[in-house]
Structure formats: structure tokens, C-alpha cells
Amino acid sequence: MPKGVIDPRVSILPDGRLAGTATVDLDAVRTSKERGMMSPWALLRGTVPVEATGILRTEKGVAAFTLESATVGGIPVPKSVLQELVSYYSQGPNAKDGVNFEAPFRLPAHIREIHTAMGRATVVQ
């Protein structure tokens, strides 16, 4: 896990839904670039819990995630705020600008599909 992300967890919910939570350092993201006073990042500070819920769909070795809701410190936030957090903390040699969490992606290890039910996932290869 990148520095600034603490205790990440993913829960498997019914109907292909996932819920994720982690404690995240917002200051690192806020100070990573210049921002205007009207930016939501002017208000987001400290190390707080971030939660997101959405639907994971998989087919023919490709997965896609659709966000349903996100909160930062218990306050609902728009998708753009969560996307900036994910982009910042997923930057690396293969992803200079980080990961777009709603972009389809190829599943690893020849996985064709993932079927989810409350508390479990079945991986089809």
C-alpha cells in the first residue's frame, strides 16, 4: 500500500456490489498541486476514513467498476474527489497519472469472470 493509505478493506456485497474503505491522508493529495479557493480540496484536510460502494462487472477477462457512492470523513463527495484520491495514490511507473477507477481493465492470471455473493467471490479461469 502507498504511504498515506491505512487499513484498506473490501467487502463483498450481494448483486456484484463491493464496498471499500481505508483511512487516507488527504493533505498529501491537497498539497500535490496548486488549487483554487473554490476547490473542494480547500476544505479536505487530515487523515480520515474514505468509503466507496459500487458494482463490479466482469466478462470475457475484462472487469469494470461503476461507483454508486463515496464519502470522505462521513460526508458524501462527488466522483471527481474519489477519482483524484485514487489517481494520486495509484501513480507508478506503469500508471504515471494513476488509475481511472471506472475504466475497464483486463483481469490478471487468465481470470475470465468473478461471481460475487454476500461475503464470497468465485473466480472463473
mmCIF file of all heavy atoms in Angstrom, residues 1-8 22-25 28 85-92:
data_model
loop_
_atom_site.group_PDB
_atom_site.id
_atom_site.type_symbol
_atom_site.label_atom_id
_atom_site.label_comp_id
_atom_site.label_asym_id
_atom_site.label_seq_id
_atom_site.Cartn_x
_atom_site.Cartn_y
_atom_site.Cartn_z
ATOM 1 N N MET A 1 0.829 -1.183 0.000
ATOM 2 C CA MET A 1 0.000 0.000 0.000
ATOM 3 C C MET A 1 0.877 1.251 0.000
ATOM 4 O O MET A 1 1.921 1.275 0.648
ATOM 5 C CB MET A 1 -0.856 0.037 1.265
ATOM 6 C CG MET A 1 -2.088 -0.824 1.220
ATOM 7 S SD MET A 1 -3.398 -0.203 0.163
ATOM 8 C CE MET A 1 -3.209 -1.210 -1.262
ATOM 9 N N PRO A 2 0.437 2.261 -0.691
ATOM 10 C CA PRO A 2 1.219 3.502 -0.696
ATOM 11 C C PRO A 2 1.177 4.188 0.667
ATOM 12 O O PRO A 2 0.220 4.023 1.428
ATOM 13 C CB PRO A 2 0.528 4.358 -1.750
ATOM 14 C CG PRO A 2 -0.758 3.707 -2.052
ATOM 15 C CD PRO A 2 -0.715 2.306 -1.544
ATOM 16 N N LYS A 3 2.227 4.940 0.931
ATOM 17 C CA LYS A 3 2.271 5.717 2.162
ATOM 18 C C LYS A 3 1.099 6.691 2.146
ATOM 19 O O LYS A 3 0.852 7.363 1.150
ATOM 20 C CB LYS A 3 3.591 6.494 2.236
ATOM 21 C CG LYS A 3 3.739 7.301 3.496
ATOM 22 C CD LYS A 3 5.062 8.019 3.530
ATOM 23 C CE LYS A 3 5.145 8.842 4.805
ATOM 24 N NZ LYS A 3 6.371 9.634 4.831
ATOM 25 N N GLY A 4 0.348 6.749 3.237
ATOM 26 C CA GLY A 4 -0.817 7.624 3.323
ATOM 27 C C GLY A 4 -2.136 6.886 3.219
ATOM 28 O O GLY A 4 -3.193 7.469 3.406
ATOM 29 N N VAL A 5 -2.077 5.579 2.920
ATOM 30 C CA VAL A 5 -3.287 4.747 2.882
ATOM 31 C C VAL A 5 -3.147 3.699 3.979
ATOM 32 O O VAL A 5 -2.211 2.905 3.971
ATOM 33 C CB VAL A 5 -3.476 4.065 1.514
ATOM 34 C CG1 VAL A 5 -4.701 3.157 1.529
ATOM 35 C CG2 VAL A 5 -3.593 5.102 0.412
ATOM 36 N N ILE A 6 -4.086 3.718 4.919
ATOM 37 C CA ILE A 6 -4.004 2.849 6.083
ATOM 38 C C ILE A 6 -5.241 1.958 6.159
ATOM 39 O O ILE A 6 -6.356 2.426 5.932
ATOM 40 C CB ILE A 6 -3.910 3.695 7.380
ATOM 41 C CG1 ILE A 6 -2.703 4.636 7.307
ATOM 42 C CG2 ILE A 6 -3.820 2.811 8.615
ATOM 43 C CD1 ILE A 6 -2.744 5.738 8.342
ATOM 44 N N ASP A 7 -5.042 0.707 6.487
ATOM 45 C CA ASP A 7 -6.103 -0.257 6.773
ATOM 46 C C ASP A 7 -7.163 -0.352 5.670
ATOM 47 O O ASP A 7 -8.359 -0.219 5.943
ATOM 48 C CB ASP A 7 -6.759 0.093 8.117
ATOM 49 C CG ASP A 7 -7.566 -1.052 8.680
ATOM 50 O OD1 ASP A 7 -7.300 -2.214 8.314
ATOM 51 O OD2 ASP A 7 -8.488 -0.792 9.474
ATOM 52 N N PRO A 8 -6.752 -0.606 4.422
ATOM 53 C CA PRO A 8 -7.752 -0.756 3.355
ATOM 54 C C PRO A 8 -8.515 -2.065 3.502
ATOM 55 O O PRO A 8 -7.956 -3.083 3.896
ATOM 56 C CB PRO A 8 -6.906 -0.748 2.088
ATOM 57 C CG PRO A 8 -5.588 -1.282 2.522
ATOM 58 C CD PRO A 8 -5.393 -0.805 3.944
ATOM 59 N N ALA A 22 -10.872 2.834 3.582
ATOM 60 C CA ALA A 22 -9.479 2.993 4.006
ATOM 61 C C ALA A 22 -9.369 4.329 4.713
ATOM 62 O O ALA A 22 -10.183 5.235 4.486
ATOM 63 C CB ALA A 22 -8.531 2.960 2.813
ATOM 64 N N THR A 23 -8.369 4.449 5.562
ATOM 65 C CA THR A 23 -8.053 5.738 6.157
ATOM 66 C C THR A 23 -6.981 6.353 5.270
ATOM 67 O O THR A 23 -5.974 5.713 4.966
ATOM 68 C CB THR A 23 -7.559 5.558 7.603
ATOM 69 O OG1 THR A 23 -8.600 4.903 8.346
ATOM 70 C CG2 THR A 23 -7.235 6.887 8.246
ATOM 71 N N VAL A 24 -7.214 7.601 4.830
ATOM 72 C CA VAL A 24 -6.379 8.210 3.805
ATOM 73 C C VAL A 24 -5.898 9.596 4.245
ATOM 74 O O VAL A 24 -6.654 10.372 4.828
ATOM 75 C CB VAL A 24 -7.174 8.324 2.478
ATOM 76 C CG1 VAL A 24 -6.360 8.992 1.398
ATOM 77 C CG2 VAL A 24 -7.626 6.953 2.018
ATOM 78 N N ASP A 25 -4.635 9.895 3.926
ATOM 79 C CA ASP A 25 -4.039 11.207 4.195
ATOM 80 C C ASP A 25 -4.467 12.168 3.087
ATOM 81 O O ASP A 25 -3.957 12.114 1.972
ATOM 82 C CB ASP A 25 -2.519 11.092 4.250
ATOM 83 C CG ASP A 25 -1.824 12.420 4.489
ATOM 84 O OD1 ASP A 25 -2.510 13.450 4.650
ATOM 85 O OD2 ASP A 25 -0.585 12.423 4.510
ATOM 86 N N ALA A 28 -1.741 15.049 1.715
ATOM 87 C CA ALA A 28 -0.788 14.717 0.654
ATOM 88 C C ALA A 28 -1.403 14.999 -0.718
ATOM 89 O O ALA A 28 -0.736 15.539 -1.603
ATOM 90 C CB ALA A 28 -0.363 13.253 0.752
ATOM 91 N N LEU A 85 -8.335 11.075 -5.460
ATOM 92 C CA LEU A 85 -7.668 10.263 -4.435
ATOM 93 C C LEU A 85 -7.078 8.991 -5.049
ATOM 94 O O LEU A 85 -5.913 8.664 -4.818
ATOM 95 C CB LEU A 85 -8.646 9.872 -3.333
ATOM 96 C CG LEU A 85 -8.962 10.908 -2.277
ATOM 97 C CD1 LEU A 85 -10.159 10.473 -1.442
ATOM 98 C CD2 LEU A 85 -7.757 11.154 -1.404
ATOM 99 N N VAL A 86 -7.883 8.282 -5.824
ATOM 100 C CA VAL A 86 -7.421 7.037 -6.441
ATOM 101 C C VAL A 86 -6.266 7.318 -7.394
ATOM 102 O O VAL A 86 -5.251 6.609 -7.387
ATOM 103 C CB VAL A 86 -8.581 6.321 -7.171
ATOM 104 C CG1 VAL A 86 -8.075 5.150 -8.009
ATOM 105 C CG2 VAL A 86 -9.615 5.838 -6.165
ATOM 106 N N SER A 87 -6.393 8.351 -8.206
ATOM 107 C CA SER A 87 -5.318 8.694 -9.152
ATOM 108 C C SER A 87 -4.016 8.999 -8.424
ATOM 109 O O SER A 87 -2.956 8.497 -8.798
ATOM 110 C CB SER A 87 -5.715 9.905 -10.006
ATOM 111 O OG SER A 87 -6.772 9.580 -10.855
ATOM 112 N N TYR A 88 -4.098 9.801 -7.383
ATOM 113 C CA TYR A 88 -2.889 10.190 -6.643
ATOM 114 C C TYR A 88 -2.198 8.966 -6.032
ATOM 115 O O TYR A 88 -0.991 8.776 -6.180
ATOM 116 C CB TYR A 88 -3.237 11.201 -5.549
ATOM 117 C CG TYR A 88 -2.043 11.575 -4.714
ATOM 118 C CD1 TYR A 88 -1.134 12.535 -5.164
ATOM 119 C CD2 TYR A 88 -1.804 10.972 -3.486
ATOM 120 C CE1 TYR A 88 -0.023 12.881 -4.403
ATOM 121 C CE2 TYR A 88 -0.695 11.304 -2.732
ATOM 122 C CZ TYR A 88 0.191 12.251 -3.190
ATOM 123 O OH TYR A 88 1.294 12.584 -2.446
ATOM 124 N N TYR A 89 -2.976 8.131 -5.350
ATOM 125 C CA TYR A 89 -2.378 7.006 -4.631
ATOM 126 C C TYR A 89 -2.068 5.799 -5.510
ATOM 127 O O TYR A 89 -1.448 4.848 -5.049
ATOM 128 C CB TYR A 89 -3.249 6.613 -3.440
ATOM 129 C CG TYR A 89 -3.044 7.553 -2.272
ATOM 130 C CD1 TYR A 89 -4.036 8.422 -1.865
ATOM 131 C CD2 TYR A 89 -1.825 7.590 -1.597
ATOM 132 C CE1 TYR A 89 -3.833 9.299 -0.808
ATOM 133 C CE2 TYR A 89 -1.609 8.457 -0.541
ATOM 134 C CZ TYR A 89 -2.617 9.308 -0.151
ATOM 135 O OH TYR A 89 -2.406 10.167 0.888
ATOM 136 N N SER A 90 -2.483 5.809 -6.776
ATOM 137 C CA SER A 90 -2.170 4.688 -7.662
ATOM 138 C C SER A 90 -1.123 5.044 -8.716
ATOM 139 O O SER A 90 -0.854 4.236 -9.607
ATOM 140 C CB SER A 90 -3.444 4.184 -8.348
ATOM 141 O OG SER A 90 -4.013 5.179 -9.182
ATOM 142 N N GLN A 91 -0.513 6.205 -8.613
ATOM 143 C CA GLN A 91 0.539 6.577 -9.562
ATOM 144 C C GLN A 91 1.732 5.640 -9.413
ATOM 145 O O GLN A 91 2.062 5.217 -8.308
ATOM 146 C CB GLN A 91 1.005 8.016 -9.319
ATOM 147 C CG GLN A 91 -0.032 9.043 -9.657
ATOM 148 C CD GLN A 91 0.407 10.439 -9.260
ATOM 149 O OE1 GLN A 91 1.506 10.658 -8.776
ATOM 150 N NE2 GLN A 91 -0.480 11.399 -9.453
ATOM 151 N N GLY A 92 2.345 5.332 -10.547
ATOM 152 C CA GLY A 92 3.517 4.460 -10.529
ATOM 153 C C GLY A 92 4.144 4.418 -11.896
ATOM 154 O O GLY A 92 3.696 5.095 -12.823
#
